[in-house]
Amino acid sequence: MKRYVALDIGAKNIGIAVSDPYNTYALPSSTYRRTRLSDDVREIAKILKDKGATCCVCGLPVNADGTESEQTEKTRRFIEELKKVTDVPVVLEDERFTTVMADGTLASEGMDSKKRRLYVDAVAAANILDGYLGAARGKEE
């Protein structure tokens, strides 16, 4: 059975989400606080293994108009390093507006801004994975 794990790779944190057992929706899991690239890659590879990932969906940050930014390049560099230490296939998913949506969702639930910072990256990763799973279901129909 497939198990998807999504990553929202940021400069300070990496949000992590997992698919439900039937791969119909995403569940926010945790937020990893980044330290340095080699440690981050090793820890994320361990998380993928621990969660039984058969596919890793990485959000690719691009500008609103679809052009690439400095953060896009940093994310690509992280993904290339991750691919060197795991055999889990990695796919890219457009992550435009996922963090904004996540912040809005948490705010609508009455969470103050300080507390939202603790959860926003994992919820953004869930938004990335929901987008990927939705597109995959559309291809199956």
Side-chain angles (χ1 to χ4, degrees):
M1 171 162 262
K2 288 193 174 209
R3 181 64 181 252
Y4 296 91
V5 174
L7 305 176
D8 177 34
I9 304 163
K12 295 179 182 177
N13 298 312
I14 299 174
I16 302 161
V18 297
S19 62
D20 73 291
Y22 303 102
N23 299 314
T24 54
Y25 59 89
L27 302 162
S29 176
S30 60
T31 300
Y32 170 80
R33 180 87 172 139
R34 295 190 67 173
T35 56
R36 64 175 200 243
L37 182 61
S38 59
D39 293 339
D40 299 342
V41 167
R42 187 172 53 253
E43 285 301 313
I44 294 299
K46 183 181 181 310
I47 289 168
L48 293 175
K49 183 177 180 182
D50 291 348
K51 295 202 176 290
T54 59
C55 182
C56 178
V57 180
C58 292
L60 188 65
V62 293
N63 295 318
D65 65 1
T67 60
E68 295 198 359
S69 66
E70 182 180 335
Q71 188 59 39
T72 309
E73 182 53 38
K74 289 178 181 178
T75 300
R76 286 187 187 281
R77 199 170 320 125
F78 180 91
I79 291 167
E80 288 309 311
E81 292 302 312
L82 181 62
K83 286 179 179 179
K84 292 176 184 176
V85 298
T86 184
D87 58 355
V88 176
V90 176
V91 297
L92 304 179
E93 178 71 12
D94 186 338
E95 72 166 44
R96 275 181 275 191
F97 310 114
T98 56
T99 300
V100 172
M101 289 175 11
D103 192 59
T105 299
L106 295 172
S108 72
E109 293 175 0
M111 195 177 287
D112 67 63
S113 62
K114 187 175 182 179
K115 195 168 183 183
R116 284 196 310 261
R117 283 193 293 269
L118 300 173
Y119 298 101
V120 70
D121 297 306
V123 174
N127 289 340
I128 291 165
L129 186 51
D130 274 333
Y132 179 83
L133 293 172
R137 278 192 306 274
K139 290 177 186 174
E140 292 173 359
E141 295 173 359

